[in-house]
Amino acid sequence: MKIPHETTPKGISSDIVNCASIISPNQTMSYVTVVSNSLGNNSNCFINVSLVVNKLGGKAVMGWAVWQWANIMIEFEAHAIWETPEGEYLDVTSHETEKAILFLPDPSVVYSGKVIPSKRFPLSSSPLVAEMISLQETKDYFLSRNEKPDEQILYKLISINQQLKKDVGRNDLCPCQSGMKYKNCCGRFA
């Protein structure tokens, strides 16, 4: 068995609500349908939404796509969705297997052509998870300045990801190093 990959949360847990209230108070999260975008499947949501708005009207809604990686972390990734002229929210940027995403509007998100650092919250007190989040934040910092991150940061992140993706049995200790058995930790999300 392996820890499931990061995905749209199946429900809105109290952990997600608490994190969202820190990032964008007084905003309401909702699930937004992902639709095929015939105007170009660029992975840059900000460009995709701009193209759709220019062609079909409506407006861009800025905020955060909410992802959860098992019992490891909750990640808020800067994201733009399209509000149709009729007021419906749609995500026009394709995601590997997602049919809908959890989205938190945030008018303070401004895209200026640079990477906007994600906001990550650990779900376990594992030192490995804390180290991974710290390394990802350092990597985001460099990318937000259009600078290349140090190779050692990237190698360490690859090493941690390989460790988290190793095969384990249900009763083995979880690879996230929470100290719990896999079946009671990240295995609950499989």
Side-chain angles (χ1 to χ4, degrees):
M1 297 178 200
K2 294 184 180 191
I3 294 176
H5 64 85
E6 192 170 49
T7 188
T8 299
K10 290 179 176 50
I12 303 174
S13 68
S14 59
D15 287 328
I16 293 171
V17 170
N18 292 338
C19 296
S21 69
I22 293 168
I23 294 172
S24 187
N26 306 319
Q27 295 292 325
T28 303
M29 286 178 286
S30 62
Y31 287 94
V32 176
T33 303
V34 177
V35 295
S36 177
N37 173 10
S38 62
L39 298 176
N41 273 333
N42 186 322
S43 64
N44 187 317
C45 59
F46 304 105
I47 293 171
N48 284 345
V49 171
S50 177
L51 290 170
V52 172
V53 168
N54 287 340
K55 177 126 182 158
L56 302 174
K59 66 180 182 177
V61 179
M62 307 302 265
W64 306 93
V66 184
W67 307 105
Q68 183 167 348
W69 189 5
N71 197 41
I72 296 172
M73 73 172 166
I74 298 167
E75 179 175 0
F76 290 76
E77 177 185 25
H79 196 64
I81 61 170
W82 177 45
E83 183 178 338
T84 68
E86 296 76 35
E88 181 182 8
Y89 281 0
L90 295 173
D91 187 355
V92 295
T93 302
S94 63
H95 305 275
E96 287 181 27
T97 59
E98 307 296 331
K99 304 280 188 250
I101 63 160
L102 183 57
F103 182 76
L104 174 66
D106 185 351
S108 73
V109 172
V110 177
Y111 179 67
S112 63
K114 297 180 182 178
V115 168
I116 300 170
S118 291
K119 298 179 185 300
R120 299 173 182 92
F121 299 87
L123 289 172
S124 90
S125 58
S126 160
L128 182 69
V129 171
E131 179 182 15
M132 180 183 66
I133 289 174
S134 175
L135 289 165
Q136 288 175 325
E137 288 174 351
T138 302
K139 178 181 134 190
D140 282 358
Y141 169 78
F142 283 106
L143 293 174
S144 71
R145 297 168 49 97
N146 287 335
E147 296 175 13
K148 185 178 176 187
D150 184 281
E151 284 186 18
Q152 290 208 326
I153 292 169
L154 300 176
Y155 289 133
K156 187 63 179 169
L157 278 170
I158 290 169
S159 172
I160 291 171
N161 275 308
Q162 287 173 337
Q163 182 171 343
L164 291 171
K165 292 179 180 175
K166 72 180 184 179
D167 279 318
V168 294
R170 280 178 42 80
N171 291 311
D172 292 340
L173 289 177
C174 192
C176 79
Q177 297 184 358
S178 65
M180 297 167 53
K181 288 184 179 183
Y182 174 76
K183 68 181 179 183
N184 297 324
C185 189
C186 291
R188 293 179 296 133
F189 298 89

